Amino acid sequence: CEESDKDRITRLVREWEGKEILFPESMVFTRYGVDTLDCRLPDPDYTIVSNDVVSSCGCISVVFPKAPVCPGNDLVITATYMVEKPEYFSKVLTVYANTKTPLRLTIRGSAH
């Protein structure tokens, strides 16, 4: 007779109840995944209209306001970085807007 998924899971939970997994103290755990941060330009002196935001690589996705950002409000650009391996990284976001030159935002960090 074949064990149902529910019975198998119940059996496994009962086998592991009260048990403890001990890892060596020198063990290093690595977390890969996604990290998101907000890049904030506080209270601009004039209305900013963002036309596009381009990242220096395909590992960053960006969300930016399509509507004008008026004085008294913050321009917030949300960048999501996909971490695939432990590494130091330095990425540039270029914001094309109604500014004299594009705004360049640099994201630096270390993925462990």
Side-chain angles (χ1 to χ4, degrees), residues 36-95:
T36 300
L37 68 106
D38 289 337
C39 302
R40 188 174 299 273
L41 178 63
D43 192 13
D45 294 333
Y46 55 91
T47 300
I48 295 180
V49 180
S50 303
N51 299 318
D52 197 10
V53 177
V54 178
S55 67
S56 60
C57 72
C59 57
I60 296 180
S61 61
V62 180
V63 176
F64 64 96
K66 308 293 191 261
V69 177
C70 300
N73 297 304
D74 294 349
L75 170 63
V76 179
I77 298 169
T78 301
T80 302
Y81 178 60
M82 176 65 79
V83 179
E84 294 180 353
K85 61 184 178 193
E87 65 181 349
Y88 170 81
F89 60 89
S90 180
K91 309 296 180 184
V92 176
L93 299 177
T94 305
V95 181

